[in-house]
Amino acid sequence: LIFYCTAGARGAARASRATSARAPPRGAMAAVVDLGIIEVVVDDVVLEVSSAILAMSSPVFARMLASGMKEGTERRIELPGKSKAEFEAVLTFLHPVKSRAARVTEENVDFLLKWFDEYEVLALKEECEALLLTLPCTVDRLLQARQFNLERQYARCLQAIGADFERMDVEKVARHAPEVMAELLPIIKASVARMRGEAVAEAQKEQRKRMQRVEREVASMPHRLFYDLPEHLIDLGDGEKVKIDEYARDLVAASLTGIIGGDAAAAAAVRLGAPGHERLAQHLLRHAGA
């Protein structure tokens, strides 16, 4: 059985449907490959796999199975250092029927990404990145994005880690990927400048609050005096009499003019005047001596 090889689609289903729907144009075939059953050795176990599924899903497998290659002539592919469980999981994404139920998840995305990157299954590699874009950014995710050239995920994690560098293991970035650290430093510097600005603004805001509390306390002093002092009439002489509580209230309010301002304080200052202050002070001193 001879199939014409295509690559880059999700699984063999789409490719096989497209192949059966119309014959490939003359001169367009890169290679003619025998796409029957082959042996795949993984984890010291021999699996029988459709070479059509492998070749039509992965350009790497397609090149292995091309005429003249060892794997193609021997009908046997060896995958040293690979996991049988992982390979079988990858096959479910490539199989025309099983791929419909296969999903990239947080549990399988890390090993699937390695396989799809190594064997150039680009559509499924993009699915892995789409899932990673929904997960929290960490230093490991940043380094992973750099390793597998996931541009969107890399840019996202770079910004997130630079903005939250105090809680991230940026030393690990410096140890394992100095070139990534070089890209991270400007973002960290910008974050430090932003944090300093926010700290200064917060300090100024808190200071304004404290000053407002002090001003309210000071502004309330005349009224507190008014209620605390007795309602005694004081004779200032020359027929001028005042109530001590009212006079003390107006006197303090006038003294605060220029400190906290206010129409009432300014009016009190005009009404009392300096002579009134002196007469009240003399009267209080006389009472104190008595």
Side-chain angles (χ1 to χ4, degrees):
L1 181 63
I2 303 296
F3 288 86
Y4 294 103
C5 177
T6 63
R10 169 162 187 170
R14 299 173 188 170
S16 61
R17 286 198 297 270
T19 303
S20 61
R22 59 183 185 282
R26 293 181 180 179
M29 293 78 73
V32 178
V33 182
D34 182 354
L35 299 179
I37 299 298
I38 64 167
E39 293 181 345
V40 176
V41 183
V42 55
D43 256 354
D44 297 325
V45 177
V46 178
L47 304 174
E48 291 188 343
V49 180
S50 167
S51 57
I53 291 176
L54 296 180
M56 288 190 289
S57 302
S58 162
V60 175
F61 282 126
R63 290 193 291 269
M64 288 182 179
L65 295 170
S67 55
M69 299 297 291
K70 175 184 176 182
E71 291 83 359
T73 56
E74 295 183 359
R75 313 298 299 153
R76 183 184 179 92
I77 294 177
E78 296 187 4
L79 302 176
K82 301 294 187 184
S83 162
K84 173 178 174 290
E86 290 183 4
F87 179 67
E88 289 175 335
V90 169
L91 284 180
T92 62
F93 284 85
L94 308 182
H95 194 280
V97 176
K98 294 179 180 178
S99 64
R100 298 188 180 194
R103 294 291 181 269
V104 178
T105 67
E106 187 173 356
E107 288 71 31
N108 63 21
V109 66
D110 293 320
F111 76 79
L112 287 176
L113 177 62
K114 294 178 182 177
W115 281 85
F116 297 148
D117 178 76
E118 181 176 352
Y119 293 96
E120 300 176 10
V121 189
L122 300 184
L124 291 174
K125 181 180 175 182
E126 290 177 359
E127 286 191 25
C128 290
E129 183 176 20
L131 186 278
L132 290 171
L133 288 170
T134 68
L135 301 180
C137 287
T138 64
V139 166
D140 288 335
R141 291 297 184 204
L142 173 67
L143 297 178
Q144 179 188 58
R146 178 74 173 188
Q147 178 183 356
F148 296 107
N149 196 30
L150 306 178
E151 294 183 0
R152 290 183 297 162
Q153 172 73 346
Y154 180 73
R156 169 178 170 260
C157 289
L158 204 64
Q159 290 294 329
I161 291 171
D164 197 19
F165 68 93
E166 290 182 306
R167 298 195 302 114
M168 298 290 182
D169 186 9
V170 293
E171 291 81 5
K172 183 175 182 179
V173 180
R175 290 194 304 269
H176 295 281
E179 70 284 0
V180 176
M181 193 66 194
E183 293 187 63
L184 197 57
L185 279 175
I187 302 174
I188 291 176
K189 290 180 180 179
S191 296
V192 170
R194 174 182 53 79
M195 291 167 63
R196 286 176 178 171
E198 290 175 352
V200 170
E202 185 63 26
Q204 292 175 341
K205 182 179 178 181
E206 186 61 29
Q207 186 177 15
R208 285 195 298 270
K209 287 182 179 179
R210 288 197 298 268
M211 289 300 298
Q212 289 170 355
R213 286 196 294 269
V214 170
E215 289 177 358
R216 286 195 296 268
E217 287 293 320
V218 172
S220 67
M221 286 176 60
H223 296 286
R224 293 209 306 270
L225 282 173
F226 175 76
Y227 289 111
D228 291 342
L229 291 175
E231 297 182 5
H232 290 172
L233 278 174
I234 297 177
D235 187 354
L236 297 180
D238 299 327
E240 184 178 0
K241 295 182 180 181
V242 296
K243 288 184 178 181
I244 189 171
D245 53 352
E246 293 179 354
Y247 199 92
R249 177 194 62 196
D250 294 342
L251 180 63
V252 172
S255 299
L256 294 175
T257 304
I259 300 177
I260 61 173
D263 295 336
V270 172
R271 183 171 68 252
L272 290 171
H277 286 243
E278 293 175 359
R279 289 195 298 273
L280 178 60
Q282 291 170 2
H283 180 82
L284 292 175
L285 285 172
R286 287 197 301 271
H287 279 268

